[in-house]
Amino acid sequence: VQLQASGGGLVQPGGSLTLSCTASGFDFSRFSMGWVRQAPGKEFEWVSAIVTGHGTTYYADSVKGRFTISRDNAKSTLYLQMNGLKPDDTARYYCAKYDRGPYHEWDSYNTWGQGTLVTVSS
């Protein structure tokens, strides 16, 4: 099982980025997926989740209205569209495969990629 995230970089406050995560080694379409981030010196923070099947999405309050999670099952790819970025969004972003438990808890995900770094700074 592999999750390969990409799309991070340096962006100015108010800017946008789209993160992608390509999955392999498992049937992507059958699993709910999420994004988790870790800012420098801080704990992991769950960001967003998308449920398999009906495609229901969930967001942390800190990103609601600014971030959009989506998936393309045909391409085994997960996305995170990030708009209105703030310095507080600076973190390494990980895509993760859901295992069990509440969607909004980062340790409910049992397989993580290597992450992609997002830096929001002027």
Side-chain angles (χ1 to χ4, degrees):
V1 175
Q2 283 195 324
L3 297 170
Q4 183 72 37
S6 61
L10 174 64
V11 62
Q12 293 188 343
S16 299
L17 279 176
T18 299
L19 306 183
S20 300
C21 174
T22 302
S24 60
F26 66 102
D27 188 347
F28 178 79
S29 65
R30 296 182 59 188
F31 290 88
S32 299
M33 299 291 296
W35 290 95
V36 177
R37 68 185 181 184
Q38 186 177 33
K42 295 188 177 180
E43 295 186 351
F44 289 109
E45 177 190 13
W46 170 79
V47 174
S48 182
I50 184 166
V51 179
T52 190
H54 47 79
T56 300
T57 56
Y58 301 96
Y59 298 94
D61 287 343
S62 58
V63 307
K64 198 173 294 182
R66 299 188 296 123
F67 289 12
T68 302
I69 190 172
S70 62
R71 64 192 297 163
D72 185 336
N73 289 335
K75 296 182 179 180
S76 295
T77 302
L78 180 72
Y79 302 99
L80 187 68
Q81 172 68 43
M82 305 185 295
N83 299 325
L85 283 161
K86 306 175 182 179
D88 283 350
D89 295 318
T90 294
R92 181 167 291 276
Y93 285 72
Y94 300 87
C95 63
K97 176 174 161 285
Y98 174 75
D99 181 26
R100 65 186 68 185
Y103 286 113
H104 65 275
E105 294 184 1
W106 64 264
D107 57 358
S108 295
Y109 301 80
N110 65 346
T111 303
W112 297 44
Q114 88 292 350
T116 186
L117 183 62
V118 173
T119 303
V120 185
S121 175
S122 55

